[in-house]
Amino acid sequence: MLAAVDPVTGAGCFLARQHGYSPAAARRLTLGDHLDGDHPFAFERLVEGPCRVGVLNTGAPGPRRNAAMRTVMADEGVGSELRIALVEAGRAWGGLVLLRPQGARPFSAAEAASAQRLGRDVIAAMRRYATGAPPEPSRLDQPPGVLIVGADETVVAATPSAREWIGELETLPAHALAAPRMPMESTIWNLTQAARRRPDTPALTRIPTRRGWILLRAQPMTGEENGAVAVTIQPAAGTELLPAMALWHGLTPKERAVINQVLERQATKQIARRLRMSPHTVNDHFKSIYRKLGVSAREELIARLLD
């Protein structure tokens, strides 16, 4: 199970899985990771620590999850889990979880060391995927979608367009999207959890799709809807899209500053004066930006980012 995060906010961004835990089990284990002392290799600790890899064997001595977590793993037929925090230059890009069934050889220390060395290649592959999306807001012709997620983590209400937007994530089968009671999608669940853990911090993520980038934002509701979270889904454009897309595409801080000025419709001389650069240097930054984003002119750059 390979999960990417928005490199700015750390919220879930996209997910690829081949077998792995069931969605219900993955949620129970993720919630357990946030309980103190519950998991010796919680992703948050792996991101911050010198070692980015942890191995958990349910039938061997050494650090293990508590009884409740081991029960979840056993119910899923899992005997060994290897998890890798994908970190580069101090920035978290996501995590990779590999599983072996009960009765199979558990992951070894040598395999954990090899996995850690693969982290940079995995991040490079994730960046190729993210930058394969058009560097522009989603072209899905739908109004913004709105979901209300109850305290029990079920979808209480949804606008008709919300199903279309969730379909763009390509994580739920068609029959689930068409069901009267739509199941909780994994990225949205990750975002609602972030909103509940840090209610005073904006919970948002920008996601690359086949038709461009979309923005998910979650906010706890107040009043009678105590415990519920509202989620909005819409195209990611302009200054909302730029911070995450700049990191995925490898734009430098100066290149990002130039784009911010472009979005304000500043001319090259004005950009140079504001950023204390020569016009020649600004033009060099433009050339690099065009190459990285696959555009050919300032007008195309503006049209892409602002749709």
Side-chain angles (χ1 to χ4, degrees):
M1 296 172 288
L2 176 63
V5 299
D6 184 304
V8 179
T9 65
C13 182
F14 55 84
L15 174 70
R17 55 181 292 136
Q18 182 74 25
H19 307 301
Y21 291 118
S22 66
R27 290 172 191 167
R28 290 171 63 190
L29 295 172
T30 300
L31 287 173
D33 283 357
H34 295 292
L35 301 177
D36 290 340
D38 185 49
H39 196 311
F41 300 119
F43 271 113
E44 288 83 354
R45 298 189 200 125
L46 292 177
V47 167
E48 296 172 357
C51 180
R52 310 295 188 191
V53 179
V55 174
L56 299 154
N57 298 321
T58 58
R64 295 184 296 179
R65 294 179 174 185
N66 67 18
M69 297 298 102
R70 293 200 302 274
T71 298
V72 174
M73 294 177 71
D75 290 345
E76 294 281 301
V78 174
S80 184
E81 174 191 307
L82 186 153
R83 53 173 52 191
I84 312 165
L86 300 171
V87 181
E88 187 175 61
R91 187 177 299 280
W93 295 92
L96 176 64
V97 175
L98 305 176
L99 305 177
R100 282 180 178 163
Q102 291 176 336
R105 177 173 57 86
F107 290 106
S108 67
E111 288 171 322
S114 296
Q116 178 154 311
R117 290 193 295 271
L118 288 173
R120 180 173 297 180
D121 293 332
V122 176
I123 293 172
M126 292 165 61
R127 295 183 71 165
R128 285 195 297 272
Y129 171 80
T131 56
E136 61 191 21
S138 172
R139 298 186 300 276
L140 179 66
D141 187 18
Q142 290 287 334
V146 179
L147 292 170
I148 304 300
V149 179
D152 60 353
E153 299 298 348
T154 61
V155 178
V156 176
T159 60
S161 61
R163 294 176 184 263
E164 298 293 331
W165 284 107
I166 294 173
E168 292 291 286
L169 304 180
E170 299 184 335
T171 52
L172 288 180
H175 67 82
L177 285 171
R181 191 173 183 84
M182 185 171 56
M184 176 63 79
E185 193 277 333
S186 57
T187 305
I188 293 175
W189 180 82
N190 181 279
L191 195 63
T192 60
Q193 289 302 304
R196 288 194 170 100
R197 290 195 303 272
R198 301 183 294 273
D200 298 328
T201 303
L204 63 90
T205 185
R206 287 143 288 211
I207 302 175
T209 73
R210 297 176 187 271
R211 285 191 269 198
W213 290 74
I214 64 176
L215 173 73
L216 274 68
R217 191 188 306 272
Q219 185 176 9
M221 299 186 68
T222 58
E224 295 181 0
E225 299 295 336
N226 187 32
V229 175
V231 179
T232 58
I233 316 174
Q234 63 190 69
T239 55
E240 289 182 325
L241 171 58
L242 182 58
M245 194 182 70
L247 291 172
W248 284 113
H249 282 265
L251 298 178
T252 67
K254 289 184 178 180
E255 289 168 351
R256 178 176 163 182
V258 168
I259 294 179
N260 279 325
Q261 295 298 312
V262 169
L263 295 180
E264 295 181 12
R265 311 289 177 154
Q266 300 296 321
T268 298
K269 290 184 178 179
Q270 292 172 312
I271 295 174
R273 186 164 50 252
R274 285 189 172 192
L275 301 182
R276 298 181 180 181
M277 302 176 183
S278 70
H280 178 75
T281 300
V282 172
N283 284 326
D284 285 342
H285 285 313
F286 273 125
K287 293 176 184 177
S288 179
I289 291 167
Y290 297 160
R291 175 178 53 80
K292 291 178 180 178
L293 296 185
V295 300
S296 57
R298 178 195 301 242
E299 292 74 18
E300 185 181 359
L301 176 64
I302 294 173
R304 287 284 187 109
L305 292 177
L306 297 182
D307 197 24

